[in-house]
Amino acid sequence: MDASGVVATALTIDMDGFIKRALDGLSDADLARQPAEQCNSIGWTLWHATRVEDGIMANISSQTQVWVEGGWHQKFGMAANPAQNGIGDSLEQVAAFKPTVANLQGYAEAVREKTLACLNALTPADLDRDLAPPGGGDSRKVGAWLSVILLDHLHHSGQVCYIRGYLAGQKWFPR
């Protein structure tokens, strides 16, 4: 298995083994619940991680983000701003974010489908290609951008699972 395959496998295990299980049985209201006033909700945390993945993969593949291309911004009642990914959101913006389970799952699945297709098309030489972030800044190797996605998802999925446990108690995670 090559590096792209490792990333694809880890993201798939994370989505199927943790995120989907954490969302199972939640209501739209549950997605918006914050454990405390200064904490992120499950909905905002998963939306943010998905937005970061969408932005990085669109940059790697030189394609339009799923957020814009698939009209997901409209389904979330937001602008078609490719740079809007939650980084720097205020506490008020986090608290005001009220996604539906269907939209959140649909967007995450659409982004993951595009991510897996892109990962399957990458060659080892592609991983060594320098790639600047949209809007400027220091470039990184494509492989380093994939690491950002992986690290972002793993720590945010841990947060989602923790919040789910906080909301439902320790017995939510079926074995």
Side-chain angles (χ1 to χ4, degrees):
M1 183 182 301
D2 63 11
S4 294
V6 171
V7 172
T9 300
L11 289 173
T12 300
I13 290 169
D14 182 54
M15 179 65 81
D16 294 345
F18 296 96
I19 296 298
K20 287 181 180 179
R21 291 169 111 179
L23 293 177
D24 186 43
L26 291 182
S27 68
D28 295 346
D30 291 332
L31 288 182
R33 278 188 58 199
Q34 296 169 266
E37 189 176 286
Q38 295 196 3
C39 295
N40 298 328
S41 65
I42 288 175
W44 186 92
T45 301
L46 182 54
W47 169 81
H48 158 69
T50 305
R51 289 293 301 121
V52 169
E53 178 181 344
D54 193 7
I56 291 173
M57 293 310 297
N59 194 29
I60 289 171
S61 65
S62 298
Q63 295 179 6
T64 305
Q65 290 182 21
V66 173
W67 182 248
V68 175
E69 183 179 69
W72 289 99
H73 65 283
Q74 294 170 330
K75 295 171 187 170
F76 283 87
M78 301 171 92
N81 179 357
Q84 185 177 19
N85 62 14
I87 295 174
D89 277 7
S90 68
L91 293 174
E92 293 79 18
Q93 288 171 302
V94 171
F97 185 70
K98 309 285 189 220
T100 66
V101 173
N103 284 343
L104 196 57
Q105 286 178 321
Y107 177 54
E109 288 171 7
V111 169
R112 186 53 49 82
E113 182 179 323
K114 188 172 183 178
T115 294
L116 294 177
C118 180
L119 289 171
N120 286 333
L122 290 176
T123 66
D126 290 329
L127 300 177
D128 287 326
R129 178 172 46 99
D130 287 321
L131 185 65
D138 295 334
S139 66
R140 297 179 184 189
K141 302 288 184 193
V142 167
W145 284 114
L146 296 179
S147 296
V148 169
I149 291 172
L150 194 55
L151 291 170
D152 194 61
H153 265 284
L154 294 179
H155 80 260
H156 285 315
S157 68
Q159 292 168 343
V160 166
C161 291
Y162 177 82
I163 298 168
R164 173 60 193 251
Y166 177 83
L167 296 176
Q170 72 184 62
K171 296 186 187 222
W172 75 269
F173 195 81
R175 298 210 184 258

